[in-house]
Amino acid sequence: MTTKSRAKSTSQQLVELSTAAPQVMAHRFARLAMSSSIPSAGDRQEFSGMVAEKQIAFTQSWWTLCLEMSKAQQAMFVSMFQGPAAMSKQFAMLPNRMEKATSRAVAPIHRKAVQNAKRLSHTPLR
């Protein structure tokens, strides 16, 4: 995947995320406002699930970011022993590595937000 197409996919992920997240929030806030003092089983499942899914998505995101950054640091460290040309090459590759890390780190959060937006768009408010 070229840098330009990866950048497009990352920006596309961010646009979709910025659209899906408010939709999910609006649906859940409306559902919370409409629920009685004793929420239904579906409401309880939705409200408890939204906490767990965020923890999982953010953990996956941070883990992915840490792995990608470790790979970049390792490549930079190895290049230090291979001479100035290798280090120069690693420095030139740094923007691509950061773009890749960003794209992969945003993916779990994006995936869950878009899934929720699709699912909740078909779920009627009661």
Side-chain angles (χ1 to χ4, degrees):
M1 181 179 277
T2 65
T3 304
K4 193 166 190 148
S5 64
R6 188 179 309 122
K8 183 178 179 187
S9 69
T10 303
S11 61
Q12 184 67 30
Q13 282 181 330
L14 294 174
V15 167
E16 290 174 359
L17 180 60
S18 67
T19 307
Q23 291 172 354
V24 172
M25 289 173 56
H27 183 89
R28 287 178 171 166
F29 282 136
R31 195 167 179 169
L32 183 61
M34 294 172 59
S35 68
S36 64
S37 60
I38 302 173
S40 68
D43 286 341
R44 284 193 306 271
Q45 182 180 2
E46 183 68 30
F47 298 149
S48 64
M50 68 185 184
V51 173
E53 73 190 13
K54 284 178 185 60
Q55 293 171 340
I56 292 167
F58 280 101
T59 300
Q60 289 172 339
S61 178
W62 274 105
W63 183 251
T64 301
L65 185 62
C66 288
L67 286 175
E68 291 299 322
M69 295 305 293
S70 294
K71 289 177 189 176
Q73 288 176 340
Q74 183 179 16
M76 189 66 74
F77 181 75
V78 168
S79 73
M80 288 172 45
F81 298 106
Q82 295 173 341
M87 274 189 77
S88 177
K89 181 179 176 184
Q90 287 301 316
F91 275 115
M93 292 173 52
L94 203 55
N96 289 341
R97 288 185 183 272
M98 295 305 107
E99 180 64 38
K100 181 180 176 183
T102 302
S103 178
R104 288 188 175 176
V106 169
I109 299 167
H110 167 267
R111 184 173 43 253
K112 195 60 183 172
V114 170
Q115 285 173 353
N116 282 337
K118 287 179 185 177
R119 179 179 55 83
L120 293 174
S121 70
H122 300 298
T123 304
L125 292 173
R126 296 179 215 119

